[in-house]
Amino acid sequence: MINKDTLREDESIAFDPSTYLGKSLRIFISHSSKDKYIASNIKRFLEIYFGLEVFVAHEDIEAATSWPAEILTQLKSTDVFLLLVSKNSAESDFTDQETGYALALNKPIIPIKIDKTPYGFISDIQALRYDEPENGYKWYDYCKLIRDLIAKNKELNESLKDCLIRAFENSSNFAMSRKISSLLIEEE
């Protein structure tokens, strides 16, 4: 506990728990627009159940905004780069460039193999295999695998805990709260 008597006159305690958001983790999902269904579902589950901030270009870039400029801004501020590797992404104008930029920035990269093996400079990174989830619980389980991979990075693990707390705080029902609380218990 901080003793107010030990503070100098020019010091104050300005911490307001109602405004503390904790650390966040930003995820950039690079994908072909033809794979946006997969990207959107991963985004939704990572945000709702794991409290992560996820950028998906086709959902998050506002009208009249320069796509390349916004993508570069998001890549610079992201903590983890998630790449949906598919035949579609191999033909995309953006995904290879985004991947190269993420490599240059030394961002942790998690490739997700949809129907193509990672190639080029990320060919040596073991990809997470994508199997089409059948329902909401399967999407949750798949996104938990992604979260578990992120948790292996010691620099990001503390932030993951804050993200889980934020997800718990925003949970909308008992079942969701129970899933998130079990993840928090695992973190102990």
Side-chain angles (χ1 to χ4, degrees):
M1 176 151 184
I2 297 175
N3 183 347
K4 278 186 104 174
D5 297 331
T6 62
L7 294 175
R8 295 190 319 255
E9 280 186 40
D10 61 335
E11 291 181 318
S12 65
I13 302 172
F15 178 73
D16 177 1
S18 67
T19 61
Y20 178 70
L21 299 176
K23 298 174 189 166
S24 65
L25 273 178
R26 299 175 56 90
I27 310 299
F28 185 105
I29 300 180
S30 179
H31 67 288
S32 162
S33 61
K34 293 176 183 175
D35 298 322
K36 67 182 176 181
Y37 167 79
I38 298 168
S40 293
N41 277 297
I42 291 172
K43 171 186 171 72
R44 185 167 56 108
F45 277 81
L46 288 177
E47 287 180 340
I48 292 171
Y49 284 96
F50 304 100
L52 303 171
E53 294 178 33
V54 182
F55 176 81
V56 171
H58 72 272
E59 291 185 16
D60 296 317
I61 296 180
E62 295 181 16
T65 301
S66 165
W67 273 65
E70 184 62 20
I71 286 171
L72 290 175
T73 297
Q74 293 297 325
L75 281 167
K76 289 175 187 172
S77 67
T78 197
D79 297 299
V80 176
F81 182 80
L82 223 110
L83 172 63
L84 303 184
V85 187
S86 68
K87 293 172 186 167
N88 297 326
S89 67
E91 296 173 4
S92 167
D93 291 335
F94 282 96
T95 56
D96 284 347
Q97 294 178 64
E98 292 165 353
T99 303
Y101 200 69
L103 279 166
L105 293 172
N106 203 28
K107 301 291 182 177
I109 296 176
I110 299 174
I112 297 176
K113 177 184 175 180
I114 296 174
D115 59 9
K116 184 166 179 62
T117 302
Y119 56 92
F121 286 117
I122 64 163
S123 62
D124 66 331
I125 302 173
Q126 180 62 41
L128 179 61
R129 194 180 77 188
Y130 174 78
D131 292 316
E132 180 72 35
E134 297 161 11
N135 57 41
Y137 288 107
K138 299 282 182 162
W139 278 109
Y140 169 84
D141 294 337
Y142 191 75
C143 288
K144 186 176 183 306
L145 292 173
I146 295 169
R147 180 223 161 255
D148 292 346
L149 288 172
I150 295 169
K152 289 181 179 182
N153 183 320
K154 291 179 184 177
E155 294 175 18
L156 302 176
N157 200 19
E158 267 315 299
S159 297
L160 266 177
K161 292 175 189 176
D162 282 344
C163 291
L164 284 172
I165 291 168
R166 193 169 25 267
F168 182 79
E169 179 182 14
N170 294 323
S171 60
S172 60
N173 58 54
F174 179 76
M176 181 185 281
S177 299
R178 195 163 129 184
K179 275 187 181 288
I180 298 167
S181 65
S182 69
L183 290 170
L184 284 165
I185 291 168
E186 285 177 23
E187 291 296 325
E188 288 186 41

